[in-house]
Amino acid sequence: MAKRWQNDLGAADITTEAVFMNRRAVLAGMAAGAAVGLTGTAAQAADAGAPNDWDDITSYCNYYEFGTGKDDPKKYAHTLTTTPWSIKIDGLVDRPGTYDLGQILDKMTIEQRIYRFRCVEAWSMVVPWDGFELADLLQMAGVKSDAKYVAFETVARREEMPGLRYPVLDWPYVEGLRLDEAMHPLTLMATGIYGKPMPNQNGAPIRLVVPWKYGFKSIKSIVRITLTDRQPPTAWNKANGREYGFYSNVNPTVDHPRWSQATERKLGGGLFSRRQPTLMFNGYDKEVSKLYAGMDLRKFY
Amino acid sequence: MFKTFPIRSPLQTGGVKKTINTWARALPSWVVYSVGMLPALIAFYQGATGGLGAEPIKALEHELGEFGLKLLIIGLMITPLRVYGKIQLFKFRRAFGLLAFIYVMLHFAVWALLDLGDVALIWADLTKRPYIILGMIALVMLIPLAATSNNYAQRAMRGGWGLLHRLTYPVALLSGLHFIWLRKGFQIEPLAYFAVIAALLLLRVPAVQRVLRRG
Ligand code: HEM
């Protein structure tokens, strides 16, 4: 079932960047609810809500399989073959199997979602994703009643991904969500940006987007989804558990051990752009805080 | 403090060496200063005109820090090159040292004014973040070195000058650690820098020098 969640601004009909830029005023509505109270002025709120342009979104990426520099993915990710593409769905599902991406997309309704995206490194952007809800995909495979978590895996091809030669992380990249997080209407499987197919450097052909969590949770180029009854390992948590928790919800009050998470700088503002306050759950507090009711978010960071 | 050892050079490529030495003798230091400032000027210009990508502040911060570290390392190479390679770049040592200081100060300024730009944030980071604290200690140690990098101070301080300027060793070590500490995951680049720094510092250890002299 698509369209369970709507941007306040109802921008689903906007398809081109040019149109986007003309509708800054409308888009301001998205961030307004969250940002006005913090920054005080409508002008700032508008800025927080304007989507970043295509170049910013596609040139400043963390995709360590193609190198650790921010510009490496754009330079090197063109080598990744994304057709044909299939996703193996296994574990605690009624209909396990290897699903061809084309077959999946035939059954899904693609819609546009304009989300804030907050990297754990304290930069952020606003991205107009195209995609479908993960819940729809999981329903297609049929989730068994004892499933509690969803595990994801990124493709790992040494011939196509030069970064795999270096042990920066324990490849392949893996991520995970609790089942209720995975089923949340905000959780998106994204296949495009600005109405164009997902660029390789942003995780083509299909990636996860969990807008209330730090960016690294939104795993790219997914080849496997496994339903399980125990918390799956996640790549950054394995690399440094003290710095990257399983939940990794955006939280301005819980710092990364090496830097503050209280503020962020939105990409694309130039040499003199200021930092802006980071919002609880990246501004999706209203939608997701109930998932964590009663949990100590300092402990489950 | 810089002993020259009566040793045979391991680099017996006389021609190249002679050329370098001839050029170095002819080249005035101001050329090194001018050329050395170019990367900073270019980086600021690019940053201001959109040439540094979506996040020019971080790019600038990284560029200046990395170039500062390179200059520190070049400064540490001058004496070993003279002792073991008979390559005479000694007259540029002050230029490399002062350039390193300028780059580190610019790196710090970009961090304080452009990246954070807020006294409370700056103070919080300076008191809480180990990699920032290491960088800050290194920067503070560079200040007396820069202040005494003139002929007058060098003469007035005599032996004390050499002793004071051994601070470059901990500065290099702390900078190397600062770099390792700030990257995410297991990354080669900062470790490679650190290995070079460690090797250059080992060359200062008398026992190591004895072994090298014998060989
Ligand atoms: C001798 C002194 C210093 C040297 C040689 C130095 C060198 C470096 C180097 C090589 C980098 C990494 C650049 C890259 O990733 O390409 C770096 C990053 C950085 N340095 Fe320094 N640094 C020094 C002092 C400082 C000081 C005093 C501060 C602040 C108080 C500072 C703050 C930073 C920050 C914030 C980063 C970037 C971290 C990030 O990626 O977010 N550094 N520095």
Side-chain angles (χ1 to χ4, degrees):
Chain A
M1 185 183 67
K3 308 240 157 68
R4 264 176 297 218
W5 185 84
Q6 283 286 316
N7 287 301
D8 312 1
L9 46 150
D13 53 337
I14 301 174
T15 48
T16 69
E17 193 183 343
V19 178
F20 261 106
M21 299 331 279
N22 290 337
R23 296 210 185 167
R24 270 169 174 258
V26 183
L27 292 158
M30 179 180 69
V36 161
L38 271 153
T39 58
T41 77
Q44 275 170 300
D47 244 17
N52 283 86
D53 63 30
W54 173 265
D55 279 347
D56 287 349
I57 297 170
T58 59
S59 67
Y60 197 81
C61 313
N62 277 328
Y63 196 163
Y64 281 11
E65 284 86 337
F66 295 103
T68 53
K70 295 285 181 291
D71 49 351
D72 286 339
K74 184 176 176 178
K75 272 191 262 175
Y76 303 120
H78 60 90
T79 50
L80 183 67
T81 317
T82 55
T83 41
W85 194 271
S86 56
I87 301 176
K88 182 174 172 188
I89 305 182
D90 61 357
L92 302 172
V93 288
D94 300 325
R95 292 171 289 280
T98 300
Y99 291 81
D100 178 68
L101 182 59
Q103 275 174 315
I104 294 175
L105 292 179
D106 282 344
K107 298 211 182 69
M108 300 291 147
T109 314
I110 301 290
E111 58 182 297
Q112 201 156 39
R113 295 278 179 97
I114 306 160
Y115 285 161
R116 277 178 291 275
F117 183 94
R118 169 62 156 81
C119 178
V120 73
E121 296 165 358
W123 53 267
S124 66
M125 52 187 176
V126 174
V127 187
W129 304 104
D130 308 297
F132 55 87
E133 289 177 18
L134 173 61
D136 293 336
L137 181 65
L138 295 181
Q139 265 153 26
M140 191 181 101
V143 178
K144 290 207 158 121
S145 60
D146 46 347
K148 292 194 181 72
Y149 293 91
V150 188
F152 305 84
E153 190 178 309
T154 295
V155 69
R157 294 188 198 131
R158 273 180 89 98
E159 338 65 83
E160 298 185 355
M161 306 171 102
L164 293 181
R165 273 176 285 158
Y166 307 101
V168 182
L169 290 169
D170 181 12
W171 314 115
Y173 195 95
V174 287
E175 257 308 334
L177 294 173
R178 225 169 50 191
L179 187 60
D180 57 346
E181 298 175 324
M183 300 296 282
H184 194 280
L186 280 176
T187 304
L188 198 71
M189 291 294 276
T191 54
I193 298 171
Y194 273 119
K196 297 180 214 172
M198 186 68 70
N200 282 6
Q201 64 267 34
N202 294 82
I206 185 161
R207 65 171 291 172
L208 184 69
V209 178
V210 194
W212 71 92
K213 293 177 180 282
Y214 292 120
F216 67 86
K217 294 293 292 182
S218 294
I219 183 170
K220 300 187 176 82
S221 308
I222 296 168
V223 290
R224 185 172 178 190
I225 298 176
T226 309
L227 278 288
T228 91
D229 58 359
R230 61 191 72 161
Q231 183 174 307
T234 60
W236 278 105
N237 183 254
K238 280 194 287 178
N240 193 336
R242 208 172 64 88
E243 297 190 347
Y244 311 99
F246 174 79
Y247 286 94
S248 288
N249 293 315
V250 175
N251 186 341
T253 66
V254 176
D255 283 347
H256 185 283
R258 286 182 286 147
W259 56 81
S260 160
Q261 295 292 26
T263 63
E264 67 200 45
R265 189 166 42 245
K266 195 179 163 193
L267 295 188
L271 205 49
F272 301 102
S273 78
R274 312 307 317 161
R275 283 172 178 260
Q276 59 194 44
T278 289
L279 307 173
M280 188 63 203
F281 294 117
N282 203 23
Y284 301 97
D285 195 359
K286 193 160 53 85
E287 288 90 343
V288 302
S289 60
K290 53 191 169 297
L291 296 177
Y292 310 102
M295 272 174 74
D296 179 357
L297 295 177
R298 297 200 152 270
K299 193 159 157 235
F300 298 100
Y301 53 92
Chain B
M1 72 171 276
F2 296 100
K3 289 170 251 155
T4 36
F5 305 112
I7 53 160
R8 240 172 295 115
S9 156
L11 302 169
Q12 288 297 8
T13 44
V16 179
K17 207 182 311 168
K18 222 181 256 159
T19 318
I20 294 177
N21 288 341
T22 313
W23 272 89
R25 226 174 295 128
L27 194 74
S29 296
W30 65 261
V31 177
V32 174
Y33 282 107
S34 316
V35 174
M37 283 312 294
L38 281 181
L41 292 174
I42 293 171
F44 274 103
Y45 175 77
Q46 284 182 322
T49 54
L52 287 182
E55 233 298 29
I57 297 175
K58 274 285 159 207
L60 198 55
E61 191 174 272
H62 286 180
E63 196 78 11
L64 295 168
E66 200 161 333
F67 206 72
L69 186 57
K70 281 184 180 140
L71 286 162
L72 281 175
I73 289 173
I74 294 175
L76 284 176
M77 283 167 51
I78 303 240
T79 297
L81 276 177
R82 179 168 77 163
V83 174
Y84 302 105
K86 291 271 168 17
I87 292 174
Q88 308 292 352
L89 300 175
F90 203 74
K91 73 184 244 207
F92 303 123
R93 197 175 62 164
R94 179 182 294 169
F96 285 123
L98 272 175
L99 280 168
F101 175 71
I102 293 169
Y103 272 83
V104 167
M105 290 304 282
L106 290 173
H107 174 65
F108 173 73
V110 166
W111 173 78
L113 301 176
L114 298 181
D115 190 352
L116 299 190
D118 176 290
V119 178
L121 289 179
I122 292 172
W123 182 248
D125 268 11
L126 276 176
T127 50
K128 263 202 270 191
R129 316 287 165 201
Y131 85 93
I132 294 285
I133 294 169
L134 291 187
M136 204 60 212
I137 295 172
L139 177 142
V140 169
M141 290 203 287
L142 280 176
I143 294 172
L145 301 191
T148 56
S149 64
N150 54 71
N151 293 338
Y152 173 77
Q154 205 162 0
R155 265 194 305 273
M157 293 174 69
R158 296 170 201 218
W161 190 91
L163 208 59
L164 176 68
H165 280 247
R166 283 193 196 183
L167 276 178
T168 45
Y169 306 159
V171 166
L173 269 182
L174 291 172
S175 306
L177 287 175
H178 168 74
F179 192 4
I180 292 175
W181 210 323
L182 60 89
R183 286 282 178 97
K184 287 161 61 198
F186 176 82
Q187 295 196 29
I188 306 289
E189 195 191 4
L191 294 175
Y193 272 93
F194 196 80
V196 172
I197 292 168
L200 287 169
L201 294 188
L202 277 176
L203 288 178
R204 268 74 183 181
V205 177
V208 175
Q209 291 175 338
R210 272 195 297 277
V211 172
L212 283 174
R213 245 178 302 169
R214 237 178 282 130

